[in-house]
Amino acid sequence: AQKITQTQPGMFVQEKEAVTLDCTYDTSDPSYGLFWYKQPSSGEMIFLIYQGSYDQQNATEGRYSLNFQKARKSANLVISASQLGDSAMYFCAMREGLTSGSRLTFGEGTQLTVNP
Amino acid sequence: KAGVTQTPRYLIKTRGQQVTLSCSPISGHRSVSWYQQTPGQGLQFLFEYFSETQRNKGNFPGRFSGRQFSNSRSEMNVSTLELGDSALYLCASRPGTGVSEAFFGQGTRLTVV
Protein backbone atom coordinates (compact mmCIF):
# COMPACT_ATOMS: atom_id res chain seq x y z
CA ALA A 1 0.00 0.00 0.00
CA GLN A 2 1.11 3.52 -0.73
CA LYS A 3 2.46 5.15 2.38
CA ILE A 4 2.25 8.69 1.02
CA THR A 5 -0.45 9.69 -1.44
CA GLN A 6 -0.58 12.94 -3.35
CA THR A 7 -3.69 12.86 -5.50
CA GLN A 8 -3.07 16.05 -7.48
CA PRO A 9 -0.54 15.49 -10.28
CA GLY A 10 -0.87 19.15 -11.28
CA MET A 11 -2.28 22.32 -9.77
CA PHE A 12 -2.69 25.82 -11.12
CA VAL A 13 -3.04 28.99 -9.07
CA GLN A 14 -3.12 32.69 -9.80
CA GLU A 15 -0.34 34.83 -8.43
CA LYS A 16 -1.14 36.21 -4.94
CA GLU A 17 -3.81 33.59 -4.28
CA ALA A 18 -3.56 30.75 -1.76
CA VAL A 19 -3.30 27.10 -2.79
CA THR A 20 -3.61 23.81 -0.92
CA LEU A 21 -1.62 20.73 -1.92
CA ASP A 22 -3.03 17.48 -0.60
CA CYS A 23 -1.16 14.70 1.15
CA THR A 24 -2.43 11.63 2.96
CA TYR A 25 -0.24 9.09 4.68
CA ASP A 26 -0.43 5.62 6.10
CA THR A 27 1.54 4.33 9.06
CA SER A 28 0.95 2.21 12.13
CA ASP A 29 3.86 3.78 13.96
CA PRO A 30 2.70 6.33 16.57
CA SER A 31 5.90 8.31 16.14
CA TYR A 32 6.53 9.85 12.74
CA GLY A 33 7.42 13.08 11.02
CA LEU A 34 5.90 14.65 7.94
CA PHE A 35 7.84 16.90 5.59
CA TRP A 36 7.18 18.99 2.54
CA TYR A 37 9.88 19.62 -0.03
CA LYS A 38 9.95 21.81 -3.12
CA GLN A 39 11.87 20.71 -6.20
CA PRO A 40 12.44 23.36 -8.88
CA SER A 41 13.55 22.34 -12.36
CA SER A 42 17.18 22.56 -11.20
CA GLY A 43 16.63 19.32 -9.26
CA GLU A 44 17.57 20.29 -5.72
CA MET A 45 15.08 19.35 -3.01
CA ILE A 46 14.33 22.34 -0.78
CA PHE A 47 12.90 21.75 2.69
CA LEU A 48 9.76 23.76 3.40
CA ILE A 49 8.07 22.61 6.58
CA TYR A 50 7.95 19.81 9.18
CA GLN A 51 5.19 18.39 11.37
CA GLY A 52 5.80 15.83 14.09
CA SER A 53 3.12 13.31 14.99
CA TYR A 54 3.02 14.54 18.57
CA ASP A 55 2.91 18.23 17.71
CA GLN A 56 -0.28 19.80 19.01
CA GLN A 57 -0.21 22.80 16.73
CA ASN A 58 -0.05 23.00 12.95
CA ALA A 59 3.38 23.97 11.70
CA THR A 60 3.93 27.30 9.97
CA GLU A 61 6.98 28.69 8.15
CA GLY A 62 6.45 32.07 6.56
CA ARG A 63 3.98 31.65 3.70
CA TYR A 64 3.83 27.89 4.26
CA SER A 65 1.53 26.19 6.72
CA LEU A 66 0.70 22.56 7.24
CA ASN A 67 -2.91 21.56 7.85
CA PHE A 68 -2.35 18.47 10.00
CA GLN A 69 -5.39 16.28 10.60
CA LYS A 70 -4.08 13.28 12.48
CA ALA A 71 -7.31 11.29 12.64
CA ARG A 72 -7.73 11.59 8.88
CA LYS A 73 -4.00 10.98 8.31
CA SER A 74 -3.66 14.05 6.18
CA ALA A 75 -0.96 16.71 6.06
CA ASN A 76 -1.90 19.27 3.46
CA LEU A 77 0.44 22.10 2.53
CA VAL A 78 -1.04 25.57 2.26
CA ILE A 79 0.89 28.23 0.38
CA SER A 80 -0.46 31.72 0.92
CA ALA A 81 0.03 34.63 -1.47
CA SER A 82 1.52 32.52 -4.27
CA GLN A 83 4.48 33.90 -6.18
CA LEU A 84 5.75 33.07 -9.65
CA GLY A 85 8.82 31.53 -8.03
CA ASP A 86 6.61 28.99 -6.28
CA SER A 87 6.16 27.14 -9.57
CA ALA A 88 7.83 23.79 -8.93
CA MET A 89 7.23 20.17 -7.99
CA TYR A 90 6.13 19.66 -4.38
CA PHE A 91 6.70 16.44 -2.47
CA CYS A 92 5.19 15.23 0.76
CA ALA A 93 7.40 12.82 2.70
CA MET A 94 7.31 10.81 5.91
CA ARG A 95 9.90 9.49 8.30
CA GLU A 96 8.57 6.71 10.50
CA GLY A 97 9.52 5.87 14.04
CA LEU A 98 12.54 6.67 16.08
CA THR A 99 14.64 3.82 14.69
CA SER A 100 14.21 4.28 10.93
CA GLY A 101 17.17 6.58 10.78
CA SER A 102 16.93 9.15 8.06
CA ARG A 103 14.84 7.17 5.60
CA LEU A 104 12.15 9.28 3.93
CA THR A 105 9.22 7.88 1.97
CA PHE A 106 8.00 10.30 -0.68
CA GLY A 107 4.73 10.79 -2.46
CA GLU A 108 4.52 11.10 -6.23
CA GLY A 109 4.52 14.87 -6.11
CA THR A 110 2.32 17.72 -7.29
CA GLN A 111 3.43 20.04 -10.08
CA LEU A 112 2.37 23.56 -9.10
CA THR A 113 2.13 26.28 -11.71
CA VAL A 114 1.61 29.88 -10.63
CA ASN A 115 0.08 32.04 -13.34
CA PRO A 116 0.67 35.79 -13.52
CA LYS B 1 27.94 27.08 5.92
CA ALA B 2 28.35 25.13 2.70
CA GLY B 3 25.44 22.96 1.59
CA VAL B 4 25.43 19.41 0.38
CA THR B 5 27.72 19.00 -2.61
CA GLN B 6 27.29 16.26 -5.16
CA THR B 7 29.75 15.51 -7.94
CA PRO B 8 29.62 15.18 -10.81
CA ARG B 9 26.41 17.01 -11.76
CA TYR B 10 25.98 15.15 -15.03
CA LEU B 11 27.29 11.83 -16.24
CA ILE B 12 26.86 9.71 -19.34
CA LYS B 13 27.84 6.06 -19.17
CA THR B 14 27.49 3.01 -21.38
CA ARG B 15 25.56 -0.12 -20.43
CA GLY B 16 27.74 -2.55 -18.52
CA GLN B 17 30.05 0.10 -17.14
CA GLN B 18 30.24 1.09 -13.52
CA VAL B 19 29.93 4.52 -11.97
CA THR B 20 30.83 6.22 -8.71
CA LEU B 21 28.97 9.26 -7.40
CA SER B 22 30.19 11.45 -4.58
CA CYS B 23 28.41 13.39 -1.85
CA SER B 24 29.92 15.80 0.66
CA PRO B 25 27.45 16.51 3.47
CA ILE B 26 27.04 19.67 5.47
CA SER B 27 29.85 20.06 7.97
CA GLY B 28 28.99 18.27 11.20
CA HIS B 29 26.35 16.05 9.65
CA ARG B 30 26.99 12.36 10.19
CA SER B 31 24.10 10.87 8.25
CA VAL B 32 24.10 10.64 4.47
CA SER B 33 21.20 9.12 2.53
CA TRP B 34 20.92 8.40 -1.17
CA TYR B 35 17.78 8.48 -3.31
CA GLN B 36 17.04 7.59 -6.91
CA GLN B 37 14.50 9.69 -8.78
CA THR B 38 12.96 8.52 -12.05
CA PRO B 39 9.79 9.60 -13.87
CA GLY B 40 8.32 6.12 -13.54
CA GLN B 41 9.21 5.18 -9.97
CA GLY B 42 9.47 8.59 -8.34
CA LEU B 43 11.81 9.09 -5.41
CA GLN B 44 13.11 5.89 -3.92
CA PHE B 45 15.40 5.41 -0.96
CA LEU B 46 18.65 3.60 -1.71
CA PHE B 47 20.55 3.53 1.57
CA GLU B 48 21.74 5.56 4.51
CA TYR B 49 25.15 5.76 6.12
CA PHE B 50 25.75 7.01 9.63
CA SER B 51 29.20 7.22 11.15
CA GLU B 52 30.65 5.04 8.38
CA THR B 53 28.06 2.26 8.88
CA GLN B 54 25.11 1.44 6.68
CA ARG B 55 22.12 2.11 8.91
CA ASN B 56 19.28 1.50 6.48
CA LYS B 57 18.85 -0.01 3.05
CA GLY B 58 16.15 0.26 0.41
CA ASN B 59 14.97 -2.37 -2.00
CA PHE B 60 17.63 -2.17 -4.71
CA PRO B 61 19.79 -4.91 -6.22
CA GLY B 62 23.29 -5.54 -5.00
CA ARG B 63 24.69 -3.64 -7.99
CA PHE B 64 24.01 -0.54 -5.92
CA SER B 65 26.45 -0.06 -3.09
CA GLY B 66 27.82 2.73 -1.00
CA ARG B 67 30.26 3.69 1.65
CA GLN B 68 31.01 6.53 3.99
CA PHE B 69 34.39 7.86 5.00
CA SER B 70 35.56 9.14 8.36
CA ASN B 71 34.93 12.74 7.26
CA SER B 72 31.28 11.75 6.50
CA ARG B 73 31.72 12.09 2.76
CA SER B 74 29.88 9.32 0.98
CA GLU B 75 30.13 7.56 -2.34
CA MET B 76 27.66 5.35 -4.10
CA ASN B 77 28.64 2.89 -6.77
CA VAL B 78 26.54 1.24 -9.42
CA SER B 79 28.11 -1.68 -11.24
CA THR B 80 27.05 -3.24 -14.53
CA LEU B 81 24.91 -0.30 -15.50
CA GLU B 82 21.54 -0.88 -17.12
CA LEU B 83 19.46 1.55 -19.16
CA GLY B 84 16.95 1.67 -16.29
CA ASP B 85 19.58 3.11 -13.98
CA SER B 86 19.26 6.42 -15.80
CA ALA B 87 18.00 8.76 -13.11
CA LEU B 88 18.65 11.74 -10.90
CA TYR B 89 20.57 10.56 -7.84
CA LEU B 90 20.06 12.74 -4.81
CA CYS B 91 22.09 12.79 -1.65
CA ALA B 92 20.75 14.13 1.65
CA SER B 93 22.52 14.90 4.91
CA ARG B 94 21.31 15.26 8.49
CA PRO B 95 23.04 15.58 11.81
CA GLY B 96 21.90 11.99 12.34
CA THR B 97 19.87 12.24 15.49
CA GLY B 98 16.73 14.09 16.46
CA VAL B 99 13.92 15.22 14.22
CA SER B 100 15.85 17.56 11.96
CA GLU B 101 15.04 17.79 8.30
CA ALA B 102 17.26 16.38 5.57
CA PHE B 103 19.21 18.78 3.37
CA PHE B 104 19.60 17.70 -0.21
CA GLY B 105 22.25 18.31 -2.80
CA GLN B 106 21.49 19.28 -6.39
CA GLY B 107 21.85 15.72 -7.54
CA THR B 108 23.79 13.84 -10.17
CA ARG B 109 21.94 13.18 -13.38
CA LEU B 110 23.11 9.84 -14.75
CA THR B 111 22.30 8.82 -18.29
CA VAL B 112 23.03 5.27 -19.37
CA VAL B 113 23.22 4.72 -23.14
Side-chain angles (χ1 to χ4, degrees):
Chain A
Q2 285 278 72
K3 288 200 170 188
I4 297 284
T5 303
Q6 295 180 252
T7 57
Q8 307 152 314
M11 287 284 284
F12 295 86
V13 66
Q14 287 297 120
E15 196 177 5
K16 298 179 186 175
E17 291 187 350
V19 62
T20 298
L21 306 184
D22 295 342
C23 172
T24 58
Y25 60 93
D26 184 28
T27 180
S28 56
D29 198 314
S31 177
Y32 53 89
L34 297 159
F35 302 79
W36 277 91
Y37 283 88
K38 170 185 177 182
Q39 187 179 41
S41 55
S42 60
E44 182 178 1
M45 299 285 280
I46 301 167
F47 167 75
L48 297 177
I49 197 166
Y50 164 80
Q51 181 85 42
S53 60
Y54 296 116
D55 293 343
Q56 296 296 312
Q57 306 227 343
N58 286 345
T60 59
E61 288 284 351
R63 294 187 299 112
Y64 304 107
S65 60
L66 201 152
N67 184 1
F68 182 46
Q69 298 187 46
K70 196 169 181 177
R72 296 180 60 187
K73 293 190 175 179
S74 76
N76 299 339
L77 176 71
V78 181
I79 304 175
S80 63
S82 297
Q83 302 172 356
L84 296 177
D86 293 336
S87 293
M89 195 74 163
Y90 287 80
F91 291 96
C92 180
M94 177 171 64
R95 180 184 302 138
E96 292 176 276
L98 299 175
T99 59
S100 68
S102 298
R103 178 177 189 154
L104 289 170
T105 302
F106 285 88
E108 294 179 342
T110 296
Q111 180 69 49
L112 177 66
T113 302
V114 180
N115 294 316
Chain B
K1 208 175 192 180
V4 180
T5 304
Q6 290 189 246
T7 57
R9 290 291 311 281
Y10 302 93
L11 209 48
I12 300 176
K13 288 287 188 179
T14 305
R15 264 184 309 176
Q17 286 186 314
Q18 75 163 11
V19 68
T20 299
L21 312 182
S22 178
C23 173
S24 293
I26 292 171
S27 176
H29 285 192
R30 295 159 63 193
S31 166
V32 174
S33 299
W34 289 89
Y35 294 83
Q36 181 196 65
Q37 185 177 23
T38 60
Q41 299 297 318
L43 276 151
Q44 293 188 286
F45 173 80
L46 281 155
F47 31 65
E48 177 202 0
Y49 285 87
F50 178 77
S51 294
E52 300 180 66
T53 301
Q54 189 179 86
R55 181 158 75 170
N56 221 330
K57 188 178 189 309
N59 188 26
F60 277 81
R63 299 186 296 107
F64 293 82
S65 62
R67 59 178 175 169
Q68 187 179 34
F69 302 95
S70 58
N71 61 358
S72 293
R73 190 177 73 84
S74 176
E75 290 181 346
M76 70 163 277
N77 183 276
V78 188
S79 62
T80 320
L81 283 165
E82 300 177 359
L83 296 179
D85 296 332
S86 294
L88 178 66
Y89 290 88
L90 290 162
C91 161
S93 83
R94 290 180 64 227
T97 58
V99 295
S100 61
E101 68 272 22
F103 296 88
F104 283 80
Q106 288 192 295
T108 294
R109 187 164 295 280
L110 171 66
T111 302
V112 182
V113 298

